[in-house]
Amino acid sequence: MLGKQAKVLSDQQIKAVLGSLQSGRNALRNRVMFLLTLHGLRAVEVANIEISMVVDAEKKVGEEIRLENKACKMLSGRVIYMNKMLKDALVQYLEERKNNPSKYLVVTERSEKFSANAVAVFFQRLYRRLGFQGVSSHSGRRTFITKAARKISLVGGSLRDVQLLAGHASLNSTQLYVLHDVDAQRKVVQAIY
């Protein structure tokens, strides 16, 4: 088992974060950063993702993130499909920052991109301000993997699909992210017999 793991965010916590990111300085950028973690991106990937990885040939936000190896940990590039909330936020954010020449998606006011450490610090401060305990920049990723693992069979997929979305070389790595659910264990046994 991994050492101390980031906690999975509850639906209530996700709503609280989204509510806190509705306004204020850099609200759209910050919302995009959070939603990227809820799509399984690591802090280093949020820092390194480029605009070209989220837009299509016509420079419009596409239906997927084509996360290239150069943006990832251990060359774990992958395709991640976007939900409507992230796509809408990206459209608004890219319109807001259309005059910024940086190729990177997530920019600061003083430089062309965030560092992975700055992304981690951003989330640490955000979650501390909201009073969350045991969460980190990795909590969004762990939440994504756990939720995807619980729902993948409902759409005809398998844990292998979750592994690919997470960018893990091994299914063993993916399973370490998935939070167990005793109630679900009870229900599945009842459903089988």
Side-chain angles (χ1 to χ4, degrees), residues 155-188:
V155 296
S158 72
L159 285 178
R160 173 77 172 127
D161 296 302
V162 177
Q163 175 193 347
L164 294 172
L165 288 170
H168 287 144
S170 161
L171 194 53
N172 290 335
S173 297
T174 306
Q175 74 179 1
L176 294 173
Y177 278 75
V178 180
L179 187 67
H180 74 280
D181 184 334
V182 174
D183 191 45
Q185 293 170 25
R186 284 187 187 109
K187 288 178 183 175
V188 76

Side-chain angles (χ1 to χ4, degrees), residues 5 15 18 28 59 62 71 79 103-104 112 135 138 180:
Q5 290 184 307
K15 284 182 185 176
L18 290 171
L28 277 172
K59 304 288 185 215
V79 173
K103 68 180 182 177
Y104 294 99
E112 74 170 348
V135 294
H138 219 61
H180 74 280

Side-chain angles (χ1 to χ4, degrees), residues 72-148:
C72 301
K73 175 182 174 184
M74 299 176 65
L75 304 177
S76 58
R78 58 202 184 275
V79 173
I80 305 164
Y81 302 93
M82 285 187 246
N83 68 17
K84 182 175 177 4
M85 188 183 304
L86 175 58
K87 184 174 179 175
D88 291 349
L90 280 169
V91 167
Q92 292 173 25
Y93 174 58
L94 289 175
E95 177 62 29
E96 178 182 89
R97 61 153 287 193
K98 65 183 172 191
N99 295 323
N100 185 310
S102 176
K103 68 180 182 177
Y104 294 99
L105 181 63
V106 180
V107 296
T108 73
E109 293 175 2
R110 290 181 225 122
S111 66
E112 74 170 348
K113 70 177 282 221
F114 267 74
S115 67
N117 186 58
V119 171
V121 169
F122 166 82
F123 282 106
Q124 179 184 40
R125 289 178 179 159
L126 171 66
Y127 295 147
R128 186 182 312 135
R129 190 175 74 240
L130 293 170
F132 298 171
Q133 299 290 317
V135 294
S136 71
S137 60
H138 219 61
S139 291
R141 177 172 169 75
R142 187 154 185 240
T143 301
F144 170 77
I145 294 170
T146 295
K147 285 180 174 274

